[in-house]
Amino acid sequence: MSDINDRKLRMAMIGGGPGSGIGGIHRKAALMDGQIDLVAGAFSTDPEKNRAQGRDLFIDPSRVYDSWKDLLDKEAALPADRRPDLISIVTPNHLHFEQATASLEKSFHVVMDKPMTMSLNEAIQLRGTVQKTGRIFALTHAFATNAMVHLARH
């Protein structure tokens, strides 16, 4: 097995199906430095849109899942050299807490679009899950990849 420093990170995505503006932004941000491969996804609750997104992203059809729960269960069962290093969550806000908690409990690191949760109580619970699992939890502000932000920086 190769050291993680000698390879690209493997990412799975929950959400970000066709018509999802934020999904495309997050994929672009994650892939722009060439250090991450998108290897699996549960992009949409609509089966045809989900499969279409997987095809458009050149993902092995066996790793495009009908539900985020299936994605977590089946990807967690893969050998270490195939399973994702992280889960990117780009779903509607009210789903963030449940999906992040489940991902962390399956021993995945999590990169999630803001907002973290819908309440302070959920945020406190999520912090406890991060501490208990020892996994990395990152909250993104994806507009940093916007072309105008790059132009302003230069």
Side-chain angles (χ1 to χ4, degrees):
M1 187 169 80
S2 67
D3 182 82
I4 197 164
N5 294 318
D6 297 331
R7 64 170 175 81
K8 291 182 179 183
L9 293 174
R10 294 181 296 266
M11 180 177 83
M13 181 170 270
I14 299 174
S20 163
I22 202 66
I25 290 168
H26 280 268
R27 278 190 294 277
K28 179 180 176 184
L31 304 175
M32 69 189 304
D33 69 358
Q35 298 301 306
I36 293 178
D37 282 330
L38 180 59
V39 298
F43 304 104
S44 174
T45 56
D46 178 298
E48 186 48 45
K49 287 181 179 180
N50 188 44
R51 285 188 293 274
Q53 187 69 67
R55 280 190 303 272
D56 290 349
L57 297 170
F58 304 102
I59 295 176
D60 177 342
S62 70
R63 295 183 78 181
V64 176
Y65 299 95
D66 290 337
S67 76
W68 64 269
K69 290 179 182 179
D70 283 347
L71 179 146
L72 293 180
D73 289 342
K74 292 177 181 169
E75 292 292 315
L78 291 174
D81 65 341
R82 291 198 62 224
R83 82 182 246 141
D85 298 297
L86 66 114
I87 305 293
S88 174
I89 300 173
V90 294
T91 56
N93 300 348
H94 70 280
L95 300 171
H96 288 183
F97 171 72
E98 180 183 12
Q99 292 170 342
T101 300
S103 297
L104 292 162
E105 289 174 346
K106 290 285 187 180
S107 294
F108 291 111
H109 300 293
V110 172
V111 176
M112 187 169 66
D113 187 35
K114 61 177 176 34
M116 185 168 78
T117 63
M118 298 300 288
S119 71
L120 177 59
N121 185 47
E122 286 180 349
I124 292 168
Q125 289 178 54
L126 186 57
R127 180 184 64 187
T129 302
V130 169
Q131 292 170 339
K132 178 180 76 175
T133 63
R135 301 286 93 189
I136 295 169
F137 175 83
L139 190 65
T140 62
H141 298 272
F143 287 105
T145 64
N146 184 290
M148 294 304 292
V149 173
H150 284 269
L151 182 62
R153 185 172 67 187
H154 293 292

